[in-house]
Amino acid sequence: MRNGIKWLPVFLSILLLTAGLASAEEAVPMDFQTLQPGDAGEQVTLLQQKLADAGYLEAVSGVYDEATEQAVLRLQQNYGLEETGVADIETQEVIFGGCYLVLEEGMSGPKVAALQERLKALSLFSDEADGVFGLTTKQSVEIFQQLYSIPVTGVADVETLTQLFSDLSERDILVAPTPSPTPGITSQNEPFKKKLSYGSTSASVKKLQERLMELGYFTYKKTTTGFYKNTQQAVKDFQKNNGLKVTGTVDKETWDAIFNDDQVVTASQTPRPSPTPAPQQYYMDVDVANQVTRVYTYDENHEYTKLVRVMICSTGRSKYPSPTGVITLPGRKARWCTFPNWGGGTAMYWTKIDENVAFHSILYANYDPDRPNMSSFNNLGKRASHGCIRLHTMDAKWVYDNIGAGTKVYIHNDSTTDKELVAFARYRKGNAEDTVIPESEYDPNTIPSLTRTLNSGRYGKDVFWVQMTLKKLGYLTDTWATGYYGPLTVASVKKFQKDNGLKQDGTVSTKTMTALTERLDSFLHPTPAPTVVPTPTPKPTPTPTAVPTAEPTAAPAEETTVEPVEEPTEEPVEEPTEEPKHFTFSGQNEA
């Protein structure tokens, strides 16, 4: 246990580094002031430190000397920036955003060793990582460049290093290269991979610049792998002329218009009319009571009902409460920020909420992503800020990348406790890559194989399937199915088990899973009630129509004399005085 505690800060530091970068803490965006030869002070020291870390500079003096000027010139040359030797704003954003030193045959040192280790991880380099850039290293770089359609030079330039140290796997790399696009103003069938915005560095940026140059929008003297002011302006001009929302960011819609639209409008053609504004993609809910920030997107009715992300946060302390109400984000962002009114500290991915607060992540020391402030990390889930909304590093970066101007944020302190979402948010504190699983991934007819017992604290698509099934059967209510097995999922499973005569332990093993699938099948395919066949009512027998029989002509009857009947001896009853009628039976009706 002691060893685990000892290594925890190191693990978290690595986690936060690989997650991306950070945002701000009661912050203002960093004011990059142009630095030039002769300048001195803290900002120069920080600049030199970053140049030294990247391998461009050997000594940190605090004075912008000739060595610093040469280091800046070298970096500007590698990144395709204007070569002045002056650290202007664009140059500093490259330096502080993480930069690469170009490596080539004959060089040696830790940067070369890191290159060799990365090539080994991708099965492209089999020798020891000795830190010497020799022939074998050059050949490995050439193979990598060939696989990724990068000019084959054997030099690990910025484009090669950016691609090499991106999130690749052996399976990704051992495939045929993507064919080069066909020249001409035609669609290129280029699939969208990820959003590109100011500060992005990748081979995709270079490809974007080349296409925009072909369309007449990118006019800088050469293409690079960095997305900065020239690229941003070219994107804005393209969006304006092609009837898109002008953001300067390349999302899927803009990417497809640039690469995959046969009707693309070049810089010299008549612009398309502006479109009807689309609704904002996201809506944010900052729940102060639960210390959870939720993100929703809209459904087919343009209502924000689809949960996208659940993020643990730290809102303002009671003395410095976060502002409440619905706030429309202005869209202002910054890669780095500092906190002059709160004792210093630095952070990245600052997304402004209003004049006083912003979304941000935990703090870092001196712009160094390897030195997180563990106190601010540990306080996620508690009220700990001076009004800003602190987020996990990965979440702050997601907000920075995806939440734009016009997005509405609802900050409130009136919620009841949602134990399920709070538990999920706390789980993500150490497992930030595990996000909400979208409902579209639920298929009730595809039952997941149960390879583990599902219980409290588990996360995955198998948990999500169980949750969605419980919701469909009416057991999991008043919370979301996220893929995380929280306390409300436990309670719902227990209730299901009770109703189905199972052991009420709140876990899903084989028996409970079988019962769930049987109940779901009955729910989806109910047995139809037997159809009652009515007893047919017998048809009434029709009354036969009498056929008249011809009566024979009767012979005249002989008149008979009726003998009088002797009356009884009892006293006679007095008869009426009316004379009796006499009938003659002649075979005819009485007249």
Side-chain angles (χ1 to χ4, degrees):
M1 180 63 71
R2 176 172 295 179
N3 288 338
I5 295 173
K6 178 180 178 181
W7 283 101
L8 178 61
V10 177
F11 166 75
L12 291 173
S13 177
I14 294 172
L15 172 67
L16 293 167
L17 174 59
T18 57
L21 297 170
S23 182
E25 210 300 274
E26 295 76 56
V28 295
M30 179 174 175
D31 184 14
F32 284 121
Q33 297 179 351
T34 298
L35 300 175
Q36 53 192 347
D39 288 345
E42 181 182 3
Q43 285 298 103
V44 174
T45 300
L46 291 171
L47 179 76
Q48 291 176 326
Q49 185 62 60
K50 298 303 290 186
L51 288 168
D53 291 343
Y56 283 92
L57 188 65
E58 292 185 0
V60 176
S61 64
V63 177
Y64 202 119
D65 51 18
E66 184 178 354
T68 305
E69 183 180 9
Q70 290 302 313
V72 171
L73 271 170
R74 189 177 176 189
L75 178 136
Q76 290 171 331
Q77 182 180 19
N78 288 343
Y79 277 84
L81 303 174
E82 188 176 359
E83 298 171 24
T84 62
V86 173
D88 57 13
I89 293 174
E90 187 173 10
T91 300
Q92 289 187 58
E93 285 179 333
V94 172
I95 294 171
F96 284 98
C99 54
Y100 292 109
L101 175 69
V102 174
L103 305 173
E104 57 188 336
E105 190 173 12
M107 297 178 66
S108 62
K111 297 294 181 184
V112 175
L115 167 67
Q116 292 170 330
E117 289 287 1
R118 184 59 173 156
L119 290 168
K120 284 187 71 169
L122 298 172
S123 302
L124 296 177
F125 184 76
S126 57
D127 292 350
E128 290 298 320
D130 57 5
V132 177
F133 200 125
L135 178 61
T136 305
T137 304
K138 179 182 179 182
Q139 291 172 340
S140 298
V141 171
E142 288 174 346
I143 294 172
F144 178 84
Q145 290 171 328
Q146 184 178 9
L147 287 170
Y148 273 84
S149 299
I150 299 171
V152 181
T153 62
V155 175
D157 56 15
V158 170
E159 180 180 2
T160 301
L161 292 169
T162 300
Q163 187 75 291
L164 182 65
F165 285 96
S166 62
D167 186 16
L168 304 175
S169 68
E170 187 171 346
R171 185 181 66 177
D172 294 328
I173 192 170
L174 298 178
V175 294
T178 304
S180 300
T182 305
I185 309 302
T186 59
S187 62
Q188 297 185 353
N189 193 27
E190 191 70 44
F192 175 75
K193 294 180 179 179
K194 63 179 181 179
K195 179 183 283 189
L196 301 175
S197 58
Y198 194 93
S200 296
T201 55
S202 69
S204 295
V205 174
K206 184 177 178 67
K207 186 175 291 186
L208 170 70
Q209 292 171 345
E210 289 171 346
R211 177 63 168 171
L212 289 172
M213 182 178 285
E214 180 184 15
L215 298 174
Y217 293 98
F218 187 77
T219 57
Y220 194 61
K221 58 186 177 182
K222 65 177 181 178
T223 59
T224 69
T225 58
F227 193 120
Y228 299 109
K229 60 183 180 182
N230 293 301
T231 307
Q232 185 182 57
Q233 188 58 52
V235 170
K236 286 183 176 180
D237 292 341
F238 174 86
Q239 289 170 327
K240 182 179 179 181
N241 280 6
N242 283 269
L244 302 171
K245 184 176 180 181
V246 180
T247 63
T249 296
V250 180
D251 56 8
K252 186 178 187 304
E253 183 182 15
T254 299
W255 179 275
D256 286 342
I258 293 172
F259 287 97
N260 305 322
D261 186 355
D262 287 327
Q263 305 300 319
V264 63
V265 175
T266 66
S268 60
Q269 293 177 317
T270 303
R272 290 179 179 174
S274 299
T276 303
Q280 289 293 327
Q281 186 173 3
Y282 298 112
Y283 176 87
M284 302 185 70
D285 179 295
V286 179
D287 184 345
V288 175
N290 287 305
Q291 293 295 290
V292 171
T293 296
R294 295 188 288 267
V295 182
Y296 300 89
T297 191
Y298 55 82
D299 57 24
E300 58 277 4
N301 299 318
H302 291 111
E303 296 179 355
Y304 293 92
T305 60
K306 294 184 177 181
L307 186 65
V308 174
R309 204 171 182 90
V310 174
M311 306 180 288
I312 192 168
C313 65
S314 289
T315 61
R317 300 196 295 263
S318 57
K319 188 176 180 180
Y320 304 100
S322 301
T324 57
V326 178
I327 301 171
T328 302
L329 297 186
R332 190 179 176 201
K333 302 179 181 183
R335 286 284 299 275
W336 278 102
C337 60
T338 187
F339 317 101
N341 298 327
W342 307 105
T346 56
M348 290 190 292
Y349 293 105
W350 177 88
T351 301
K352 181 177 179 179
I353 296 176
D354 64 16
E355 293 303 320
N356 300 308
V357 299
F359 287 107
H360 59 78
S361 80
I362 65 172
L363 308 182
Y364 290 86
N366 295 327
Y367 311 95
D368 189 347
D370 289 328
R371 297 171 62 191
N373 181 319
M374 294 310 298
S375 175
S376 63
F377 178 83
N378 293 333
N379 280 329
L380 287 173
K382 305 174 184 176
R383 302 187 190 196
S385 75
H386 290 92
C388 282
I389 314 301
R390 290 186 197 171
L391 301 170
H392 187 285
T393 298
M394 288 185 70
D395 291 332
K397 187 177 187 301
W398 187 91
V399 171
Y400 180 90
D401 288 340
N402 294 279
I403 302 299
T407 301
K408 293 190 181 299
V409 178
Y410 177 40
I411 305 176
H412 59 102
N413 190 20
D414 56 358
S415 295
T416 56
T417 301
D418 186 330
K419 294 180 180 179
E420 188 85 3
L421 287 186
V422 170
F424 179 44
R426 290 175 179 170
Y427 163 80
R428 288 195 64 247
K429 188 174 179 180
N431 304 272
E433 292 184 359
D434 294 341
T435 57
V436 173
I437 299 174
E439 290 191 8
S440 58
E441 294 195 19
Y442 175 64
D443 181 1
N445 297 308
T446 303
I447 302 168
S449 57
L450 192 64
T451 59
R452 57 178 180 165
T453 298
L454 304 181
N455 50 24
S456 182
R458 296 282 195 181
Y459 170 86
K461 292 186 177 180
D462 47 2
V463 174
F464 178 70
W465 190 92
V466 168
Q467 289 175 323
M468 289 297 292
T469 299
L470 287 168
K471 288 184 78 71
K472 192 170 286 291
L473 297 176
Y475 286 93
L476 183 62
T477 58
D478 301 325
T479 192
W480 297 86
T482 61
Y484 177 75
Y485 206 117
L488 296 186
T489 302
V490 172
S492 298
V493 170
K494 284 183 177 181
K495 189 173 187 307
F496 175 84
Q497 290 170 329
K498 180 180 179 181
D499 290 350
N500 288 270
L502 301 170
K503 181 182 177 182
Q504 299 169 43
D505 58 5
T507 67
V508 176
S509 54
T510 304
K511 287 185 178 180
T512 300
M513 191 68 166
T514 301
L516 270 173
T517 55
E518 289 175 352
R519 283 287 305 276
L520 178 62
D521 185 67
S522 298
F523 178 83
L524 296 175
H525 310 99
T527 303
T531 304
V532 178
V533 180
T535 304
T537 304
K539 296 181 179 179
T541 303
T543 304
T545 305
V547 178
T549 303
E551 293 185 7
T553 305
E558 290 182 3
E559 190 170 343
T560 56
T561 304
V562 180
E563 292 288 336
V565 179
E566 187 177 58
E567 297 292 328
T569 57
E570 63 181 348
E571 247 182 25
V573 179
E574 185 177 357
E575 294 290 336
T577 56
E578 181 182 349
E579 267 191 9
K581 294 181 180 178
H582 298 276
F583 297 94
T584 301
F585 295 94
S586 61
Q588 301 295 324
N589 290 335
E590 185 179 359

